[in-house]
Amino acid sequence: MTRRARLAAAVRDRLPPWVRTRCGVEPRTLAALALALAVALGFAVHHFWSGRPQTVQAPPVESASRPRTAPHAPSFPAPFPASDPASDPVPASTAASGGKPLLVDVAGEVRRPGVHRLPAGARVADALRAAGGVRPGTDLHGLNRARPVADGEQIVVGEPPAAAAVPGPPAAPAGGGPAAGGPVSLNSATVDQLDSLPGIGPVMAQRIIDYRTRHGGFSSVDELREVSGIGERRFADLKPLVGP
């Protein structure tokens, strides 16, 4: 008996009696039945495998609490520039809450000269800030920016306090200068002689001398307008007091 016949006989012996009676003992019938059983078993395995319970991962739970904000970093005032009181760290005073507003006239080397309304208790720095700040290069020596202002006061920026309060002709210089009451020569005056003029401080006097050195002197008084920091108003005050 061949091996194939022995395998068929072994399979036939293990089949239930009703299967052997219904299908007979033909090898082809046994092979077809075995194939059908294998296919059915495969479908059953696939069905149970796909229907097995699976682990489902829950979505992350977002916190309902409000996000914490970083603590507010303390702010510090910027350094106080000597040439621009518009950024003065001295705040506008509001100590006298509900007090009568102050009217202050700010004149001289500021961006917006004129009468400005300030709160009660304001200081000179507040008045300069209200006037748009001083112009670059203005000499603020002798101007107390921390001083409280009074109603109806005039603040002149860029002029020495004595010259601003009592303007008048310059004093006669010593040693070869112009005669008393005479005009100051722009081509020969020293820093001290120019400093004695109203509205001219040491810085402005040095600018006039530097301009005279660069251009070989002043051919006319009108050239004084070309010096940085001398506007129309200051030139009008200086014109009758100086000469070439």
Side-chain angles (χ1 to χ4, degrees):
M1 182 180 298
T2 63
R3 181 178 181 183
R4 183 176 181 181
R6 289 197 303 268
L7 179 60
V11 173
R12 183 176 62 250
D13 293 340
R14 286 170 171 79
L15 291 176
W18 63 272
V19 175
R20 285 182 290 177
T21 302
R22 188 174 183 86
C23 301
V25 293
E26 291 293 332
R28 294 181 180 179
T29 303
L30 294 176
L33 181 59
L35 179 61
L37 291 176
V39 172
L41 180 62
F43 276 107
V45 171
H46 175 71
H47 174 73
F48 284 106
W49 180 260
S50 60
R52 77 187 189 282
Q54 299 181 359
T55 303
V56 179
Q57 184 178 3
V61 180
E62 296 183 359
S63 175
S65 61
R66 296 179 58 185
R68 298 181 60 186
T69 57
H72 178 67
S75 59
F76 298 95
F80 186 84
S83 61
D84 190 3
S87 59
D88 198 311
V90 180
S93 174
T94 57
S97 176
K100 183 180 178 181
L102 307 177
L103 294 180
V104 179
D105 182 15
V106 184
E109 297 300 316
V110 291
R111 294 186 174 92
R112 294 194 301 271
V115 178
H116 297 277
R117 185 184 299 270
L118 301 175
R123 300 180 182 268
V124 173
D126 302 323
L128 298 181
R129 186 181 298 106
V134 301
R135 298 184 181 277
T138 302
D139 182 18
L140 298 180
H141 180 71
L143 181 63
N144 184 6
R145 284 162 282 180
R147 176 179 59 81
V149 299
D151 185 35
E153 178 183 355
Q154 183 185 45
I155 301 174
V156 181
V157 181
E159 297 185 8
V166 186
V184 176
S185 174
L186 296 175
N187 290 324
S188 61
T190 63
V191 172
D192 294 335
Q193 293 172 356
L194 293 173
D195 188 16
S196 65
L197 295 172
I200 302 296
V203 176
M204 188 63 64
Q206 187 60 47
R207 290 182 184 175
I208 295 175
I209 292 179
D210 292 342
Y211 180 90
R212 181 178 68 191
T213 303
R214 290 194 305 267
H215 297 81
F218 290 85
S219 60
S220 65
V221 178
D222 293 337
E223 289 186 25
L224 194 60
R225 298 177 180 177
E226 304 297 328
V227 178
S228 175
I230 296 183
E232 293 296 329
R233 179 175 178 178
R234 181 172 295 180
F235 175 76
D237 295 336
L238 295 174
K239 187 175 181 180
L241 306 177
V242 296

